[in-house]
Amino acid sequence: GGSLEELNVYRRQAPQSELSQVALSQWLQQDNKVVCISSGEGLSNLKVLLGGAAEILVETPLIVPSERIRNLALQLGCQRVF
């Protein structure tokens, strides 16, 4: 027979640090911004990371995987959700 070992390599948790002001400034200056969001939790985490700059998500195109996450993005004020 064989043996089976379990190894946990994935943990869902919010990022522990905020974006540096330099990284945020560089991202905000780019003309062609598109954000891919894989979960509602990820969208919420991104809003927290962006802090006061979260209003940028209103006009930023968001690519989402489901109608549920699309509805969440729209509820959060995002206008360009695909």
Side-chain angles (χ1 to χ4, degrees):
S3 65
L4 176 65
E5 291 184 35
E6 182 177 332
L7 180 61
N8 294 315
V9 294
Y10 175 76
R11 181 178 1 159
R12 290 178 74 137
Q13 66 182 40
Q16 297 300 314
S17 63
E18 294 183 9
L19 291 174
S20 73
Q21 290 302 313
V22 172
L24 179 57
S25 176
Q26 289 173 344
W27 186 71
L28 292 174
Q29 290 176 13
Q30 294 179 11
D31 290 331
N32 299 317
K33 291 185 256 330
V34 175
V35 175
C36 294
I37 296 293
S38 61
S39 70
E41 188 175 5
L43 179 58
S44 297
N45 289 341
L46 179 59
K47 283 193 67 141
V48 170
L49 284 172
L50 289 172
E55 70 273 0
I56 192 72
L57 293 177
V58 170
E59 291 295 324
T60 300
L62 299 179
I63 309 286
V64 299
S66 69
E67 190 69 23
R68 182 183 64 81
I69 297 171
R70 181 180 185 279
N71 289 336
L72 175 61
L74 292 171
Q75 288 174 2
L76 293 174
C78 302
Q79 297 177 359
R80 300 177 66 195
V81 186
F82 306 94

